[in-house]
Amino acid sequence: MKYGYYNDKEIPKSVELDHKSILNYKTNSHGYRCPEWTPLPEGKKNVVILGCSHTFGEGLNDDEVWVNKLCTKVDQKRLRFWNLGQPGASADKIVRILYGCEKILFPKIIIVCWPVWSRRERLDSYPQSLTSDNNFLKNENEHTDRNNFLKNVFFVEKFAEKIEAKVLHCFAQDVYEIPNANNVFSKTSIKLCWPEWSTMTFEHEKRIRITEPSLAKDGIHYGIENHKKFAELFYDHFKSKLK
């Protein structure tokens, strides 16, 4: 049975009608940067990764995105990755995509790379992502941002509990506190993990003066160095759970 945009039969179309289609990336027929899931391959645990443009990998080649770099570090005989990150995604949209994939991808590990919490999703005639200075966000504040974010964390945790999956939380830009949640990588984010700096004088590679940011080809999103380092740190933190 279908319930509006919340559909357990197929993941909803992800590219909103008011946005240009994604033309420069290899995506499946639903606009996700991963293979088709019909028919779903047999064997292996499915790892679903959700997030915004930083997880989708705007401005980067496939092998440069942190999701792909993380995939090379795990046992690929046991785990299969599905990158469901979407440009402009809010925490609301992440939850909608996650709930939509339950009976398609049957995830056993869920990785959520949370975007900034000021974003929202507005469900009108079609799902619309509200980002930046959108007029509909003018009445929101730090308290409503936090509560909306924690609401979505709750939905993700309860979903995982229901389907007996593990959840690993991390962050794309700002790092937020998630009370009473297990498996949170809050040490850094894609934005904050590069350039590195060390107070130890013998760690020469981490004490090089860097004056220019690492940017993707679009000149806006974080570049290869950020994605590579974030994948390394994420794996070091969660390696025992990525099995």
Side-chain angles (χ1 to χ4, degrees), residues 9-191:
K9 297 300 183 184
E10 75 178 279
I11 297 178
K13 289 288 185 179
S14 59
V15 181
E16 297 89 337
L17 301 181
D18 62 341
H19 285 191
K20 294 181 180 180
S21 299
I22 298 169
L23 300 176
N24 299 322
Y25 304 97
K26 182 181 178 181
T27 66
N28 67 13
S29 58
H30 294 275
Y32 295 97
R33 207 167 182 180
C34 63
E36 298 289 349
W37 42 72
T38 305
L40 185 67
E42 295 183 359
K44 302 185 183 181
K45 292 181 180 179
N46 288 322
V47 183
V48 167
I49 303 95
L50 303 114
C52 60
S53 55
H54 300 293
T55 295
F56 176 86
E58 280 204 65
L60 297 171
N61 296 326
D62 289 346
D63 61 350
E64 296 171 340
V65 184
W66 75 269
V67 175
N68 299 64
K69 291 186 176 296
L70 177 63
C71 184
T72 63
K73 298 179 182 297
V74 305
D75 185 352
Q76 296 181 39
K77 295 180 180 179
R78 296 174 57 86
L79 303 179
R80 183 187 296 113
F81 276 41
W82 301 90
N83 185 350
L84 304 187
Q86 281 291 285
S90 62
D92 298 323
K93 186 171 186 176
I94 283 172
V95 168
R96 177 167 69 81
I97 293 172
L98 175 62
Y99 274 62
C101 80
E102 177 184 359
K103 297 182 180 179
I104 301 171
L105 297 178
F106 306 95
K108 286 300 179 184
I109 300 176
I110 301 165
I111 300 174
V112 185
C113 189
W114 294 103
V116 291
W117 64 11
S118 58
R119 292 181 178 180
R120 300 286 194 281
E121 184 174 55
R122 184 169 182 260
L123 297 176
D124 195 345
S125 56
Y126 60 89
Q128 180 184 6
S129 293
L130 308 183
T131 60
S132 187
D133 58 352
N134 189 288
N135 191 51
F136 288 108
L137 296 177
K138 65 182 180 181
N139 293 321
E140 305 296 345
N141 57 51
E142 189 77 5
H143 298 293
T144 61
D145 287 344
R146 179 179 185 274
N147 290 335
N148 188 68
F149 166 68
L150 293 178
K151 172 200 72 177
N152 285 300
V153 170
F154 175 81
F155 286 157
V156 170
E157 289 283 343
K158 284 301 177 182
F159 176 85
E161 182 180 315
K162 171 180 175 287
I163 65 172
E164 298 183 346
K166 288 186 286 191
V167 183
L168 310 178
H169 300 277
C170 59
F171 303 93
Q173 293 170 282
D174 297 334
V175 176
Y176 306 117
E177 180 184 0
I178 304 180
N180 304 317
N182 297 319
N183 303 330
V184 182
F185 180 41
S186 58
K187 180 181 178 181
T188 189
S189 67
I190 301 174
K191 172 185 177 181

